[in-house]
Amino acid sequence: MSAETGGRGDVVRVAAVGDIHLGPDSHGLLRPAFETLHERADLLLLAGDLTCHGTVEEAEVVAGEVTGLEVPVVAVLGNHDYHSDQEEDVADTLRSAGVTVLEGSAAVLDVGGHRIGVAGTKGFCGGFAGRSAGEFGEPEMKSFVRYTRRSADGLRRALGELADEGCRARIALTHFAPVPDTLAGEPPEIFPFLGSYLLAEAMDEGGADLAVHGHAHMGVEHGMTAGGIRVRNVAQPVIGRAYAVYHLPLDGSGPADDRVAGAGTDASAGDLASAGVRATAGDRSS
């Protein structure tokens, strides 16, 4: 595994996908694309909703798709992965397949001799600036918002730990969206249930070079935090393939649109057609 080196400095190739929603009938669905992923990417990020209903049986299917890959695999869980109250067992099943599962924590990866950090959390709901829930009123509402705040605080701490580790690049990985930009196309009425501005604040304060999330099946791929961090929605119905690849420069210049490659770049083997997968952009089962 090695980061690319070119005229514009070293680059790490980040493959990412979320919302694959695998179940018992999904054995081998993504494996053909994942087996050649190492030719196009240096690491794979899984942005939650890896299962349909959050059972160990479904998690074993996911584990089978990523076991033994030639690149490190880092994941966060999504709301679907919590549905059956087996999220710890789901995470343990993925870990047994070599996946690093994050929740308010971070991992440092060696990519071609470079230290690449990934900080992750599932995140939660609450809405965005000007139209967000607050910690006021009933205990249930306070608990709702505090859960999101705890998730954001964990992400902020994890990003700070990566700064102390001297990472060449830091990536924030969540399931819920940190910005409304990538929700364009979703019904505005459900924006508060798709993410929270607290996640973006944590990213801007903690520092990141790229943010990756899922959850918004009808959203769009590109967004940005107020602090200028590029945000990518990699929900599979959005990217329309087994994974997207983003080129993240390590020369200190920070990511730019012409240097963070889009889903259509460098991922021909990740095309859903080659994996036998059909994207369903109209699926609202986020």
Side-chain angles (χ1 to χ4, degrees):
M1 148 178 70
S2 62
E4 291 183 335
T5 301
R8 291 186 293 181
D10 294 327
V11 170
V12 62
R13 302 167 300 171
V14 181
V17 66
D19 303 83
I20 54 179
H21 294 289
L22 299 186
D25 60 347
S26 303
H27 287 281
L29 195 61
L30 295 174
R31 187 69 188 189
F34 284 168
E35 283 184 340
T36 58
L37 186 148
H38 65 280
E39 300 172 1
R40 295 163 176 81
D42 302 305
L43 67 151
L44 173 62
L45 304 181
L46 301 177
D49 275 9
L50 310 179
T51 66
C52 290
H53 302 99
T55 67
V56 171
E57 180 185 17
E58 293 171 342
E60 289 172 345
V61 175
V62 179
E65 302 297 285
V66 299
T67 297
L69 297 187
E70 296 185 40
V71 300
V73 183
V74 182
V76 294
L77 301 186
N79 55 301
H80 278 245
D81 306 317
Y82 274 65
H83 180 68
S84 296
D85 298 325
Q86 299 177 34
E87 62 272 10
E88 292 299 329
D89 293 330
V90 167
D92 286 343
T93 300
L94 296 177
R95 292 187 181 107
S96 71
V99 179
T100 299
V101 182
L102 303 177
E103 180 49 55
S105 54
V108 178
L109 311 175
D110 182 349
V111 177
H114 300 299
R115 293 170 68 80
I116 307 301
V118 182
T121 183
K122 174 176 64 67
F124 197 52
C125 315
F128 303 93
R131 291 175 173 81
S132 60
E135 295 177 52
F136 182 85
E138 301 88 343
E140 292 80 4
M141 179 58 74
K142 294 175 184 175
S143 177
F144 179 91
V145 177
R146 286 171 183 167
Y147 182 93
T148 305
R149 191 174 297 281
R150 286 195 301 271
S151 295
D153 288 345
L155 181 62
R156 183 185 294 103
R157 286 193 300 269
L159 286 167
E161 291 170 5
L162 293 177
D164 295 338
E165 291 284 347
C167 294
R168 291 287 304 276
R170 289 181 289 165
I171 303 167
L173 175 63
T174 65
H175 179 61
F176 285 81
V179 295
D181 309 21
T182 51
L183 306 184
E186 294 280 2
E189 294 84 357
I190 68 170
F191 276 28
F193 305 103
L194 296 178
S196 169
Y197 76 96
L198 293 173
L199 295 171
E201 284 190 348
M203 294 172 186
D204 285 338
E205 293 172 15
D209 301 289
L210 175 68
V212 172
H213 76 88
H215 196 47
H217 292 196
M218 296 177 66
V220 297
E221 185 180 359
H222 296 78
M224 185 178 295
T225 69
I229 298 171
R230 287 341 194 243
V231 179
R232 300 295 180 258
N233 175 6
V234 298
Q236 197 173 71
V238 172
I239 62 174
R241 59 193 64 212
Y243 55 84
V245 177
Y246 304 102
H247 290 185
L248 186 60
L250 304 178
D251 59 7
S253 63
D257 285 336
D258 64 342
R259 302 185 67 186
V260 181
T265 303
D266 201 27
S268 58
D271 194 308
L272 286 174
S274 68
V277 183
R278 181 174 60 191
T280 53
D283 185 359
R284 296 192 185 187
S285 180
S286 59

